[in-house]
Amino acid sequence: MFSLWHTFVMDVSLVGFYLFYTFSYNWAYDKLFPITHFGHTADNTVPAQT
């Protein structure tokens, strides 16, 4: 049987895991597929013309 303390620890652990997972996924996605806006990359530099 779970006590209130065990339930609280499990809840905090799951919230922490999903926060870490969401942050990591979004960070990796933004690094792999940077947002371009009007020909500029995410670091505000203009890509070389080919």
Side-chain angles (χ1 to χ4, degrees), residues 4-43:
L4 188 59
W5 175 249
H6 287 112
T7 306
F8 176 73
V9 169
M10 187 184 311
D11 184 45
V12 169
S13 300
L14 284 171
V15 168
F17 169 76
Y18 279 110
L19 282 173
F20 175 75
Y21 177 80
T22 303
F23 176 79
S24 300
Y25 180 86
N26 284 301
W27 177 80
Y29 188 89
D30 287 342
K31 289 295 181 183
L32 290 173
F33 306 105
I35 298 171
T36 58
H37 185 66
F38 298 112
H40 295 269
T41 57
D43 60 357

